[in-house]
Amino acid sequence: MSIIEQVDRRLWRSGFIHAPLRRAARNLFLFSLLFFVAGMLSLAWGRFLFWGGVMAMLSFWNFYTLALFIQQALPASIPEDDKNGLSRARIVKKGLLIRTQLRLFITGIFVYIALVFFQASPGALAVGLSTAMIIIPVSLIFRG
């Protein structure tokens, strides 16, 4: 069994039942993992790839938790007693807002620690954090 099939199976078991989101999460995970391993291997020559890989893994974690929450919070259909979906929408909005703000806070703490205590390159952090901005749209546009 290939690594792609193993990651797909793990994501399916975690709750990624929608194929496009599973594919995007898989591609982002594999790219982030590859980026992180390359950074670990090249740590003796410089820290740019390492910090980019760390932030890429953090970017994957942000996408993973957000996508998992959305898939669990949104029902497949609107219940009969809630014709317009207003009550469900309020619940989802509040949960999403709290979770997003908490993830943003945690990400900010990690970026602050990397910049201040470890003197990481701001460019490396930006490259790592922006991997999701490239990998996810490419994964959703080019199916394969």
Side-chain angles (χ1 to χ4, degrees):
M1 182 181 316
S2 72
I3 187 83
I4 292 173
E5 292 171 345
Q6 290 177 2
V7 172
D8 272 343
R9 179 177 287 158
R10 176 73 175 115
L11 288 171
W12 175 267
R13 289 182 185 154
S14 297
F16 280 82
I17 56 173
H18 301 290
L21 278 178
R22 189 173 55 249
R23 184 175 50 249
R26 177 198 65 210
N27 293 345
L28 182 59
F29 172 71
L30 291 175
F31 181 81
S32 299
L33 185 63
L34 183 66
F35 197 178
F36 180 70
V37 168
M40 290 291 287
L41 294 175
S42 68
L43 199 53
W45 295 283
R47 300 184 315 169
F48 189 89
L49 280 178
F50 171 75
W51 284 111
V54 168
M55 289 300 127
M57 290 302 289
L58 183 62
S59 180
F60 165 72
W61 173 74
N62 282 328
F63 175 73
Y64 176 85
T65 56
L66 179 66
L68 194 59
F69 172 73
I70 293 295
Q71 288 183 87
Q72 292 171 350
L74 291 178
S77 63
I78 297 174
E80 287 293 325
D81 58 338
D82 191 15
K83 288 199 182 256
N84 295 329
L86 293 176
S87 64
R88 188 67 177 173
R90 283 189 194 105
I91 294 169
V92 171
K93 276 196 300 188
K94 287 178 185 175
L96 186 60
L97 182 63
I98 290 169
R99 289 171 185 267
T100 302
Q101 295 301 319
L102 183 61
R103 269 192 305 281
L104 183 62
F105 180 72
I106 292 169
T107 301
I109 288 172
F110 281 132
V111 169
Y112 177 78
I113 289 171
L115 286 172
V116 173
F117 294 111
F118 296 107
Q119 285 81 38
S121 166
L125 300 181
V127 166
L129 286 172
S130 62
T131 56
M133 302 292 282
I134 298 167
I135 300 297
I136 294 169
V138 167
S139 295
L140 294 175
I141 291 171
F142 302 110
R143 298 178 185 192

